[in-house]
Amino acid sequence: LKAQLTRQEPEPMLTEPRFAPITEEERKLWDQLEARLRKRYPEEKDLPGALEAVADLARSARMQLVALNLHIPVAKTPPGPAGASGAPPPLSFQVPPPHSVSPTTIKVTAVHRYRDLVQFLEGLGRLPVAVAVESIEVKRMNETLSTEMTLRTLKWGAS
């Protein structure tokens, strides 16, 4: 029994993982992937272009835009303990690490016909920027529809 237990014990883990070095071809593939991601997930300075692409799509689908807003959340560090004066410490902000993506919200309010909404939703997948529908609420207003929707895109972090 002792001989069986000895044989079944796992081998000790190596202290350093051993990986094959990345080949030049693999590095080129990673660079190509990053370039494609950067096109689909804009940097913060390019987000107005994403907003404009959504607005252009809505106009081409014959939707009457009522409101179009871009919301970029800012990561906050949790507040620490209160200082000696009893006042809470000031908030500090975290800078995203290089090569990261973070969510960005586009809120759209529009008046339209049913087929216009369908055309708009179908067109979202063809935009140069990756945009997905997070939520949608459609209400009937006499002969037309009123829609409030939240679209989600990702913002490329600082590099």
Side-chain angles (χ1 to χ4, degrees), residues 16 30 52 54 78 85 99:
E16 291 184 30
W30 277 112
E52 188 175 326
V54 170
S85 66
H99 307 294

Side-chain angles (χ1 to χ4, degrees), residues 59-78:
R59 282 190 287 273
S60 72
R62 294 176 300 283
M63 296 175 75
Q64 179 185 352
L65 287 173
V66 175
L68 186 65
N69 300 304
L70 181 66
H71 175 69
I72 305 168
V74 178
K76 299 177 188 173
T77 56

Side-chain angles (χ1 to χ4, degrees), residues 69-73 103-107 134 150-153:
N69 300 304
L70 181 66
H71 175 69
I72 305 168
T104 301
T105 303
I106 300 172
K107 299 231 182 215
E134 182 176 279
T150 302
L151 306 176
R152 178 78 63 172
T153 187

Side-chain angles (χ1 to χ4, degrees), residues 3 7 14 21-22 31 44 49 53 56 58 60 64 68 71 73 79 82 94 97 121 130 139-142 147 157-158:
R7 276 187 260 141
L14 299 173
I22 295 175
D31 290 343
E44 189 166 336
D56 289 347
S60 72
Q64 179 185 352
L68 186 65
H71 175 69
Q94 297 175 348
L121 294 173
K139 296 179 184 175
R140 177 164 294 284
M141 289 180 31
N142 301 325
T147 296

Side-chain angles (χ1 to χ4, degrees), residues 84-105:
S85 66
L91 293 176
S92 61
F93 298 97
Q94 297 175 348
V95 176
H99 307 294
S100 68
V101 290
S102 57
T104 301
T105 303

Side-chain angles (χ1 to χ4, degrees), residues 40-41 50 54 106 124-125 127-133 151-154:
R40 296 287 288 170
Y41 304 117
V54 170
I106 300 172
L124 285 176
L127 288 178
V129 175
V131 176
V133 176
L151 306 176
R152 178 78 63 172
T153 187
L154 296 175

Side-chain angles (χ1 to χ4, degrees), residues 1-11:
L1 182 63
K2 186 176 180 180
Q4 287 177 342
L5 289 175
T6 307
R7 276 187 260 141
Q8 292 179 354
E9 288 181 16
E11 293 183 23

